[in-house]
Amino acid sequence: FPWGFLWGSLFFSTAMALAAGSAVLRPSIQFPSQRADVSEHLAPTRRPSNCLAVATVAAVAAGKIAQQAFVRRRRRERGCINAGSRLVRFASEVELKEEPDRLVRYMGGNVSVRAVCATEMTRKVCSMHECSPAVSIALGRAVMASALLANGRDEGETLQLRIQGTGPIGTIIAEASSALDCRGMVGNAQVDAPTVPELVGVGEEATLRVTRTHPFWKRPYTGTIQLQSGEIAEDVVQYLATSEQTPASMGLNVQWDDEANQIKHAEGWLVTLLPGWDQGEVGVVETNIRNFSKMEHSDLPRTDAICQHMMRELRGEFQTEQTPTFRCKCTKSRLAGAVMMLGKTEVLKILKEKEDVTAKCDWCGDTLSLTVDEVRDHLKSEQGLEQVSTRGYSPRQLKLMEEELKEMPEEGTADWS
């Protein structure tokens, strides 16, 4: 046991506390009654206290830090660590048993709670890209965040989360449908960094974009914000507050197993306030979130236990459940449609030069190929002829484009005032 580290920490923390005054750390939550900036870390706030009390708090904190460092070292020796995670609301020292992938939603009063366990799904997504441990944690969090946001949307709707930072990982893209068919990809899968924010990178040009699409919509809905911290849950909460005016709090946890070289556990939750909420409900939810690490043991599935904990004193009721699964949309039919979108001239050139068409899916890594005969057969089909003539646009999309052209003013008649 590092006794020298412990006593050094006690002395240093006490001296710093006496000199600095009354800085104390506590969890901050993304709800209207508090500053909207934290969902995955502790934020410093100030409150009155005398120097002796602060010194005592600092000494106790230093002792806990030393103890946690010792526990982490022992766990690392056993090959089981929570790599790169600064999430304080999940007890990293608690052994969580593996459960089937599942997302549930509870509702009570004007509060909605979603919880997801997605260990198998995130494993599959990350293994397809051969992600490093740090990238697996970031991508796993992003995919779970997209699943939590997609739950409860209109049937047929798809939600895409795009995180464009300045860090070594490049772009993170996660997508989920209302049926929770999920997939994800990253720009650089083999990079590494001590924390997710350093991996993502925050700067003036770093953005988070959420795009929602539906076959019956005239155009996609897109909301974009500047990345605030690089912590995925925190930035998603900031998006909900800014673009959708929805007070929310989110937690995402991905644990990495060094011994098995794969994700050990992945879970998350999203709490949102519905229109008509009052301060009493806010206070109850904030208390439940602060006490998340002290959640009582339950024989219920992990997702239900999380929701019931968040719904304490709110009489929350079970609403629905879904199974998040990995599913990619790449097929030979879609590849043939993409070839037809090149136009008749390019397609005839492919047939003349007798070139096979090969493409690799960035989502799942599968390679698809079309022979010259398959391209010719598809071109002769009714669907192929329509795709060539319309460049892949559906009849509804063509009609909308025609209506937009009709609405455009005649040349020289536009009013620019």
Side-chain angles (χ1 to χ4, degrees):
F1 187 84
W3 292 106
F5 171 76
L6 171 60
W7 290 112
S9 299
L10 290 173
F11 177 81
F12 178 78
S13 299
T14 304
M16 291 300 293
L18 290 171
S22 58
V24 181
L25 294 178
R26 65 170 176 80
S28 176
I29 305 162
Q30 168 66 11
F31 279 116
S33 64
Q34 296 192 13
R35 188 163 55 91
D37 64 347
V38 173
S39 66
E40 283 190 13
H41 65 93
L42 290 174
T45 59
R46 304 184 71 86
R47 62 185 180 191
S49 63
N50 58 51
C51 291
L52 180 59
V54 173
T56 304
V57 171
V60 173
K64 289 183 177 180
I65 290 173
Q67 182 181 9
Q68 291 171 359
F70 173 72
V71 172
R72 283 195 297 271
R73 181 168 62 84
R74 292 297 300 273
R75 286 172 60 80
R76 189 177 296 109
E77 291 172 355
R78 298 199 306 268
C80 177
I81 62 172
N82 187 13
S85 177
R86 297 194 299 155
L87 183 57
V88 297
R89 299 195 183 100
F90 288 94
S92 59
E93 305 303 332
V94 176
E95 295 293 338
L96 299 173
K97 63 179 181 180
E98 187 169 335
E99 297 184 2
D101 290 355
R102 182 169 178 258
L103 185 148
V104 299
R105 183 171 76 244
Y106 279 61
M107 189 173 296
N110 296 302
V111 180
S112 174
V113 179
R114 297 171 176 86
V116 63
C117 280
T119 304
E120 188 61 35
M121 186 262 290
T122 53
R123 276 180 189 166
K124 193 167 186 178
V125 172
C126 296
S127 64
M128 284 183 171
H129 299 286
E130 299 181 351
C131 297
S132 67
V135 173
S136 296
I137 290 170
L139 181 57
R141 289 183 183 180
V143 173
M144 286 195 297
S146 66
L148 289 167
L149 293 175
N151 173 254
R153 303 286 183 178
D154 295 337
E155 184 178 355
E157 183 175 340
T158 299
L159 184 144
Q160 185 181 101
L161 189 70
R162 178 185 290 263
I163 302 170
Q164 181 68 62
T166 59
I169 196 173
T171 304
I172 304 174
I173 305 177
E175 187 178 278
S177 68
S178 57
L180 293 197
D181 294 332
C182 307
R183 56 183 183 170
M185 58 180 289
V186 294
N188 301 302
Q190 292 296 321
V191 296
D192 195 13
T195 63
V196 171
E198 294 177 71
L199 197 66
V200 173
V202 179
E204 293 183 358
E205 298 180 356
T207 59
L208 180 146
R209 177 182 300 173
V210 176
T211 304
R212 295 166 52 196
T213 57
H214 194 281
F216 295 155
W217 290 357
K218 188 173 183 179
R219 58 177 58 87
Y221 168 82
T222 301
T224 305
I225 66 166
Q226 184 177 357
L227 286 181
Q228 301 295 319
S229 68
E231 291 286 2
I232 294 171
E234 180 178 344
D235 288 318
V236 169
V237 167
Q238 187 69 26
Y239 160 80
L240 290 173
T242 304
S243 295
E244 300 190 8
Q245 292 75 51
T246 301
S249 183
M250 174 182 277
L252 300 170
N253 179 39
V254 178
Q255 296 180 2
W256 181 262
D257 189 337
D258 271 351
E259 185 175 348
N261 196 33
Q262 66 177 7
I263 291 175
K264 181 184 180 183
H265 183 77
E267 66 179 27
W269 49 262
L270 172 64
V271 182
T272 56
L273 296 183
L274 306 178
W277 55 268
D278 57 46
Q279 290 295 333
E281 291 172 323
V282 173
V284 170
V285 174
E286 289 179 343
T287 301
N288 292 340
I289 293 175
R290 279 195 297 268
N291 294 331
F292 185 83
S293 60
K294 303 176 183 177
M295 186 171 64
E296 297 179 358
H297 175 73
S298 173
D299 293 330
L300 293 172
R302 178 70 175 172
T303 49
D304 292 276
I306 292 173
C307 287
Q308 291 194 11
H309 172 82
M310 296 297 185
M311 282 290 178
R312 291 177 63 184
E313 302 184 22
L314 291 175
R315 298 181 180 179
E317 296 182 355
F318 172 84
Q319 296 291 314
T320 185
E321 73 171 277
Q322 289 181 279
T323 302
T325 56
F326 171 81
R327 183 168 297 170
C328 192
K329 300 177 182 178
C330 63
T331 61
K332 275 195 170 185
S333 176
R334 289 175 67 90
L335 176 58
V339 173
M340 297 301 112
M341 291 177 66
L342 297 174
K344 189 173 182 179
T345 303
E346 290 295 326
V347 174
L348 291 177
K349 182 179 178 182
I350 291 174
L351 296 176
K352 182 179 179 180
E353 297 179 357
K354 297 182 179 181
E355 296 179 353
D356 291 347
V357 179
T358 303
K360 182 177 180 180
C361 178
D362 290 332
W363 293 98
C364 65
D366 287 350
T367 300
L368 301 175
S369 296
L370 290 175
T371 64
V372 175
D373 291 337
E374 288 174 327
V375 174
R376 183 182 294 107
D377 292 342
H378 188 77
L379 178 60
K380 292 180 180 179
S381 68
E382 184 177 342
Q383 182 184 13
L385 290 173
E386 182 181 351
Q387 289 174 338
V388 169
S389 61
T390 62
R391 291 293 182 101
Y393 291 109
S394 67
R396 176 178 173 79
Q397 289 173 321
L398 290 172
K399 185 178 179 180
L400 292 173
M401 291 169 61
E402 184 180 351
E403 291 176 355
E404 288 180 351
L405 288 173
K406 288 180 180 179
E407 293 175 358
M408 293 182 65
E410 295 291 336
E411 183 177 358
T413 62
D415 184 7
W416 300 98
S417 59

